[in-house]
Amino acid sequence: MLNKKLITLMNEQINKEFYSAYLYLDFANIYEEKGLLGFANWNKVQAHEEIDHGMLIYRYLQDNNAEITLMTIEAPNVKHAEAINGADIKGEKLLGLLKAALKHEEYITSLINNMYCVAQELKDYKTMQFLDWFVKEQGEEEGSLQNLLIKTQLFGSDSSGLYTIDNELAARTYMPLQ
């Protein structure tokens, strides 16, 4: 049986993963409105992945006969959207959204790390093994955003550079987790 503290943290994490999907959909909408369909696509794929992450935790709780408590999903923080609405989405405006996404992923990483620490304290090796995938995934999430941020800092203020990055991001496809 899973420890009650871990069950609570995992239920909260399901909520945070679904919130992340909302956040990425909000970002996708902003990019779409500005004509950056590749950036919009990247964020839509990201939203699908976040839902998958929440569902993995959901299934883990089910498989361990733990109570699942679904919570209200808050609306995305509109401060990020306000930073660029009505403005040309180049330079600092574009970087602001990417920095917000990276900051959010770092926050999610801290939550995953906290769950891992609790599992470790409880010597719950099965849950630690389950969370290993999330630890690795968060490293990839942060790395992907850091690379995109660097590319955008280097080339995003130039129209042809932004066009090239946008086209690269348009090629990203959603690969459901098995």
Side-chain angles (χ1 to χ4, degrees), residues 24 28 37-50 52-53 98 101 105 137 140-145 148 164-175:
Y24 283 113
L37 304 183
F39 279 86
N41 175 65
W42 190 92
N43 281 273
K44 288 175 189 175
V45 170
Q46 198 64 28
H48 281 294
E49 287 187 4
E50 301 303 343
D52 284 350
H53 298 168
L98 295 173
E105 288 300 337
E137 177 68 10
E140 291 172 7
E141 299 281 3
E142 288 183 29
S144 175
L145 275 164
L148 182 53
T164 301
I165 296 168
D166 194 53
N167 279 336
E168 283 180 21
L169 297 178
R172 184 179 188 204
T173 58
Y174 169 63
M175 299 292 290

Side-chain angles (χ1 to χ4, degrees), residues 77-93:
N77 184 342
V78 294
K79 289 179 186 172
H80 306 305
E82 290 170 358
I84 67 155
N85 274 344
D88 183 17
I89 190 164
K90 285 173 119 178
E92 288 305 310
K93 305 299 181 185

Side-chain angles (χ1 to χ4, degrees), residues 108-146:
I108 295 298
T109 297
S110 75
L111 298 174
I112 298 292
N113 289 344
N114 183 54
M115 279 192 298
Y116 196 97
C117 285
V118 170
Q120 193 172 34
E121 288 169 11
L122 296 168
K123 297 184 179 179
D124 183 346
Y125 303 112
K126 181 173 143 182
T127 300
M128 288 168 58
Q129 184 179 31
F130 170 73
L131 291 173
D132 281 341
W133 181 87
F134 286 91
V135 171
K136 182 179 181 225
E137 177 68 10
Q138 282 308 119
E140 291 172 7
E141 299 281 3
E142 288 183 29
S144 175
L145 275 164
Q146 288 167 345

Side-chain angles (χ1 to χ4, degrees), residues 8-10 12 26 39-41 47 49 63 73 75 85 91 94 99 101 108 117 124 127 139 143 150-151 168 173:
T8 299
L9 290 172
M10 292 182 127
E12 289 170 358
D26 194 35
F39 279 86
N41 175 65
E49 287 187 4
D63 291 346
I73 302 167
N85 274 344
L94 180 57
K99 287 177 183 176
I108 295 298
C117 285
D124 183 346
T127 300
I150 289 168
K151 275 186 186 178
E168 283 180 21
T173 58

